[in-house]
Amino acid sequence: MVTNSCGYTVWPGILSNAGVAPPSTTGFMLSPGESRAVAVADGWSGRMWGRTLCEQGSSGAGFACTTGDCGTGTVECSGRGAAPPATLAEFTLASVGGDDFYDVSLVDGFNVPVLVAPANGSCPTTDCPADMNAQC
């Protein structure tokens, strides 16, 4: 489940790791407070990020975002990653022993706050609510 808790529209982008089947969608729009379920295969691994200030070109072509753009010219990222800056949520699901692994990364910079909160409640959340890179 992907939820936009920001006070502005975010267009999540999704990229599967090499050799991993893509999810049901690789890009979509979320209005403030909106959520959307994204189906992924067992053993999926990859990353998600928020794109901001996105616009469709005046002729209906040329979709682009100010931050996190994946460069496809459409809402779907279709196997392309984010242009920095982009706050990343990274996942490896049902890995060794069936465990899930997740983190929030600023390796590609910071553009939106991100929180990963496992649904079962027994695992810890991880987040990056502000640009920690600016302090380094």
Side-chain angles (χ1 to χ4, degrees):
M1 182 67 63
V2 181
T3 301
N4 179 6
S5 297
C6 298
Y8 47 86
T9 301
V10 174
W11 288 259
I14 305 172
L15 175 65
S16 297
N17 287 348
V20 177
S24 57
T25 182
T26 59
F28 51 95
M29 184 185 89
L30 285 177
S31 298
E34 187 179 6
S35 295
R36 180 171 175 177
V38 177
V40 297
D42 289 342
W44 184 82
S45 62
R47 55 181 47 184
M48 298 181 184
W49 66 95
R51 297 174 287 170
T52 63
L53 303 170
C54 302
E55 292 184 348
Q56 188 73 44
S58 59
S59 64
F63 180 85
C65 304
T66 301
T67 69
D69 190 50
C70 54
T72 61
T74 68
V75 173
E76 293 283 335
C77 287
S78 305
R80 306 247 338 239
T87 311
L88 304 174
E90 300 172 317
F91 301 89
T92 299
L93 305 178
S95 184
V96 177
D99 291 336
D100 297 333
F101 298 90
Y102 52 92
D103 65 77
V104 175
S105 173
L106 299 183
V107 69
D108 287 344
F110 177 91
N111 69 327
V112 295
V114 170
L115 167 74
V116 177
N120 69 10
S122 65
C123 296
T125 62
T126 184
D127 68 341
C128 187
D131 186 1
M132 296 187 325
N133 285 336
Q135 300 171 14
C136 295

